[in-house]
Amino acid sequence: MERRDFLKLASMAGLGVVAAGSLSRDAAAAGPYSGPLWVHIHASGGWDPTSLCDPKGAMSAEEQETREAMNRSYLNEEIGTAGNLRYAPVGGNAEFFKKHYSRLLIINGVDTGTNSHDAGVRNTWCGTLREGKPGFAALVAGVHGGSLPMGFISNGGYDTTANVVPVTRVPDTGLLQRLAYPNVIDPANENREPYHTEATMTRIMEARQARHAARLEQQRLPHVKQAMSTLFTSRVGQNELKQLIQFLPAEFEKASLRRQAQVALAAYRAGICVSANLSVGGFDTHGNHDDNHIPRLGDICDGVDFLLTAAEEQGIADRIVIVVGSDFGRTPGYNEGNGKDHWNITSMMLAGAGIQGNRVIGATDERHNPLEVDPVTLEPMQGGVRIKPGHIHKALRKLAGIAEDPLVQRFPLSEDEDLPIFG
């Protein structure tokens, strides 16, 4: 029995069944999702924009040997350019920026207001330092895909939802196949030999439904019934996972971000996903910063390149939005262990539908302190506005067309200004 048929029967029987994902939105509008796919890539630990998109090189070879050097890996005169963008000449940055500069929007000088990992991650991805607020990925999925089985999928990063939408934490791909085909001995085998006959599986399902109904009758609290029904529905509804499996590649990439991206794109093409968190760690480089940090930045660039390239190959390049960020930035200068510590000033990088590329918004001085900007032109201006994550999230909500939605208005942002970040 398919999940939708079960829900219809349960409704006629008067059972309080709630489909997974419909806790806060009306499930009546359920159907294949065709809006943009919102992909958030989190550089976990606090990345260093001065080694990526807000370059600050050492002024001389002599300065490179000191702890005060902004970067020991390159000189200021070696900074590269691609269109209107500047990049640090390390790792694979040159290849990445020269290939994608026309798509990229860089926002520099973003003040996260904290050096704490938890608070920084929260502010970067939901636009406020206050606890318990949903991230943008959860909000956009709650508005556009609250009743989808995998409306919001997460591989890490900030996935607090405040109950506006369930979050699906994605397991490894082999487990996905086993979940989608629980009655198949080996889903990877073309023969798909079943454990039980179809008639036996029907009897098993009928027994499970009867047991669930009996347990519901024993409960009196509505929220307990709702939770039980949501869990039951998610357990018996493998049909959506089967849809997902159809779009997964025959072979998965070895790089973690690439694998995460493949699942997100497959779920989106199956019409069951609105937003996805991708995450890669290793950025909290308090020791041996250059040797450890620059390869991790290469992982980020490789992940974004893969997403943009795969989206084009799959014909959805005009329906994907990528937002890249981190907890915060890293200090100007090095500590005694050749590492860099926490610094509240950071950058964000965006690309995709509705994003005008080859642009840089915001700036920092030679010691990576933020410069204020004109709230209209966004050019550096003394006495202007200091860019904060809340400004970016206000603009993202407008870009997604959800700013006026009642669900979103339950979570206002404190920034007064509406900065024209996306034009």
Side-chain angles (χ1 to χ4, degrees), residues 51 61 137 158 164 189 211 250 254 287 300 310 338 368 391 411 415:
S51 295
Y158 187 78
V164 302
N189 192 308
R211 182 186 181 195
K254 293 182 179 180
I300 292 288
N338 296 321
H368 204 222
H391 292 116
F411 306 98
E415 279 64 37

Side-chain angles (χ1 to χ4, degrees), residues 134-368:
F136 174 78
L139 285 178
V140 73
V143 172
H144 293 304
S147 54
L148 295 175
M150 297 177 68
F152 173 33
I153 63 178
S154 179
N155 298 270
Y158 187 78
D159 53 21
T160 297
T161 67
N163 294 324
V164 302
V165 68
V167 57
T168 302
R169 293 181 174 86
V170 181
D172 66 79
T173 52
L175 182 56
L176 278 176
Q177 284 192 316
R178 292 192 175 277
L179 289 173
Y181 300 98
N183 191 40
V184 175
I185 297 175
D186 183 6
N189 192 308
E190 293 182 0
N191 294 329
R192 295 283 177 90
E193 183 180 354
Y195 286 106
H196 306 291
T197 65
E198 186 175 342
T200 299
M201 283 301 296
T202 299
R203 290 195 296 272
I204 291 174
M205 178 60 72
E206 290 173 348
R208 293 176 70 182
Q209 292 171 8
R211 182 186 181 195
H212 173 64
R215 289 190 170 186
L216 279 181
E217 286 297 318
Q218 297 172 6
Q219 296 296 330
R220 294 294 179 265
L221 296 176
H223 72 278
V224 174
K225 286 189 173 185
Q226 185 181 61
M228 289 174 61
S229 297
T230 300
L231 179 61
F232 180 78
T233 303
S234 64
R235 283 177 171 173
V236 301
Q238 290 92 20
N239 190 50
E240 294 83 3
L241 280 177
K242 293 176 184 177
Q243 297 176 39
L244 170 64
I245 297 298
Q246 294 176 15
F247 292 97
L248 288 175
E251 294 185 7
F252 279 85
E253 298 283 340
K254 293 182 179 180
S256 175
L257 272 183
R258 288 186 171 214
R259 289 198 309 272
Q260 296 173 39
Q262 286 178 303
V263 175
L265 291 172
Y268 175 67
R269 292 178 64 201
I272 60 176
C273 179
V274 176
S275 61
N277 278 3
L278 281 54
S279 179
V280 62
F283 289 91
D284 200 17
T285 47
H286 292 280
N288 296 321
H289 172 79
D290 291 2
D291 290 341
N292 295 324
H293 202 97
I294 292 173
R296 300 288 76 74
L297 289 173
D299 293 340
I300 292 288
C301 292
D302 178 72
V304 174
D305 173 64
F306 178 82
L307 261 171
L308 291 172
T309 303
E312 281 201 354
E313 292 173 350
Q314 297 176 24
I316 57 173
D318 60 341
R319 291 185 283 145
I320 184 172
V321 183
I322 302 171
V323 185
V324 190
S326 188
D327 315 24
F328 34 64
R330 307 210 75 81
T331 50
Y334 294 75
N335 59 29
E336 293 181 355
N338 296 321
K340 289 188 175 185
D341 300 316
H342 300 177
W343 187 249
N344 60 300
I345 306 306
T346 188
S347 297
M348 295 185 75
M349 186 163 61
L350 301 94
I355 308 294
Q356 181 184 345
N358 195 23
R359 295 176 64 215
V360 180
I361 294 174
T364 55
D365 64 18
E366 66 278 0
R367 297 303 295 175
H368 204 222

Side-chain angles (χ1 to χ4, degrees), residues 25 139 142-144 401-410:
R25 308 292 291 176
L139 285 178
V143 172
H144 293 304
I402 64 173
E404 303 302 321
D405 189 275
L407 183 149
V408 176
Q409 290 186 340
R410 287 166 44 195

